[in-house]
Amino acid sequence: KFFIAAIVYILVSCTFGLLMATGTAQSLFSKGYLGLAHAHLTLIGWVSMTIMGAMYQMLPMLSLKEVYSEKIGEVQFWTANLGIVGLFFSLVSGYSIRSFQFRAFAIIMVVSVLLFTYVMFMTLIFGDKKAEKMDITVKYYAAAIVYFALSCLLGLSLAIFPSFRIGRVGLAHAHLALIGWVTMTIMGAMYHLTPMLVWTEKYASKMGMEKVPTIKDLYSEKLGMGIFWMINVAVVGFFFALIMGSQIAISLFAFLLLITCYLFSFQMLRIIF
């Protein structure tokens, strides 16, 4: 269901992007906040719905649990869609982020994200505890979900409190969503998928005929956890640096983020080659 909805949103988003590129959207919605509407539809409708759908499958599977409540998940799915569609049409219709219409749908969206956060963490906490320790991918997912919730709460705060304009808070909001939520989810997924695909291609056919490494032998989990903590420090530090408006702190944490990405890329390419 999440994937079907996400596919619809990318089609609508790309169509709307073309209308913007040709000037048609500006003619039809002359008073609308078209760029903001387009960005939110893409980031929440396409990207976030895809990630949430994947996590409903991946997180329970990797933690050897069942989804805590599919009923709550169903409610969360429909409230997310209501929030996404409502936010989009509010913005294209010319209602600003401070309008009652936008705030109402922003609240619905935040409620949906908090429900998602609740289901995911309850899934990790309860159930048959078969796993000896939390999988590295799940750790990345758990951190990413926290950033998703914080990013949405910050977005709602920006809509409800117009005077809340500390430093580069808009940019901080965007980076928290794109690095904390999206990037950390992708990195976590690659720690599961990249070694698994390489192992399947190179070693699966040799099972039983010769000694082969396990999937986790293909990478250093210690380095992976080091990268995990480094990116968390970078995300949090960069966020507060933007809030404070400190150029030195922004440069420092941007450099840490760069080093983290180099280490992560090195580890993934080492697995592949």
Side-chain angles (χ1 to χ4, degrees):
K1 288 178 181 177
F2 276 88
F3 289 167
I4 291 169
I7 290 167
V8 172
Y9 290 129
I10 192 177
L11 291 174
V12 174
S13 179
C14 289
T15 303
F16 191 73
L18 177 61
L19 293 177
M20 289 173 64
T22 58
T24 308
Q26 287 84 340
S27 300
L28 293 173
F29 308 102
S30 57
K31 296 181 180 180
Y33 299 89
L34 307 187
L36 200 58
H38 181 53
H40 275 77
L41 188 64
T42 305
L43 183 56
I44 307 176
W46 162 235
V47 178
S48 296
M49 288 291 280
T50 301
I51 291 175
M52 286 190 286
M55 280 197 180
Y56 270 108
Q57 171 70 24
M58 295 283 289
L59 190 141
M61 179 186 73
L62 292 172
S63 58
L64 305 177
K65 307 285 184 69
E66 297 289 333
V67 174
Y68 176 72
S69 172
E70 289 193 7
K71 288 183 179 179
I72 298 177
E74 188 80 16
V75 173
Q76 190 261 315
F77 170 78
W78 289 110
T79 50
N81 280 284
L82 179 60
I84 292 164
V85 173
L87 288 175
F88 177 75
F89 280 107
S90 295
L91 290 168
V92 297
S93 301
Y95 294 105
S96 72
I97 64 170
R98 299 181 185 87
S99 65
F100 170 79
Q101 288 82 355
F102 184 90
R103 289 173 179 178
F105 288 111
I107 290 170
I108 292 170
M109 191 67 230
V110 168
V111 168
S112 177
V113 172
L114 292 177
L115 285 174
F116 171 73
T117 304
Y118 175 76
V119 172
M120 292 296 103
F121 277 95
M122 291 299 279
T123 299
L124 289 175
I125 294 169
F126 290 98
D128 186 13
K129 297 181 180 179
K130 296 177 182 177
E132 292 182 6
K133 62 177 182 177
M134 190 181 290
D135 186 270
I136 188 171
T137 295
V138 177
K139 290 177 182 177
Y140 275 86
Y141 283 177
I145 292 167
V146 172
Y147 292 129
F148 187 32
L150 292 175
S151 176
C152 289
L153 286 168
L154 178 59
L156 179 61
S157 299
L158 291 172
I160 294 176
F161 305 108
S163 60
F164 184 47
R165 287 288 182 270
I166 306 171
R168 304 179 194 176
V169 67
L171 196 59
H173 171 54
H175 274 78
L176 193 63
L178 288 169
I179 305 175
W181 165 232
V182 178
T183 302
M184 284 200 68
T185 299
I186 294 172
M187 291 172 75
M190 288 185 76
Y191 269 106
H192 173 70
L193 294 170
T194 306
M196 183 185 70
L197 292 172
V198 169
W199 188 91
T200 301
E201 184 171 313
K202 189 171 183 180
Y203 298 109
S205 61
K206 299 176 182 179
M207 279 285 288
M209 294 183 286
E210 60 182 83
K211 187 178 179 181
V212 298
T214 66
I215 291 175
K216 290 200 173 184
D217 288 335
L218 299 182
Y219 66 94
S220 168
E221 192 161 356
K222 285 184 178 180
L223 178 58
M225 284 308 302
I227 292 169
F228 171 78
W229 289 113
M230 284 175 68
I231 194 168
N232 275 284
V233 171
V235 168
V236 174
F238 195 69
F239 175 81
F240 283 109
L242 287 169
I243 295 292
M244 294 184 297
S246 169
Q247 191 57 50
I248 295 174
I250 289 171
S251 301
L252 176 65
F253 288 108
F255 180 71
L256 179 60
L257 182 63
L258 177 67
I259 296 299
T260 304
C261 290
Y262 269 102
L263 288 172
F264 172 77
S265 300
F266 167 76
Q267 192 170 42
M268 289 299 110
L269 292 172
R270 188 180 178 187
I271 294 168
I272 293 168
F273 293 108

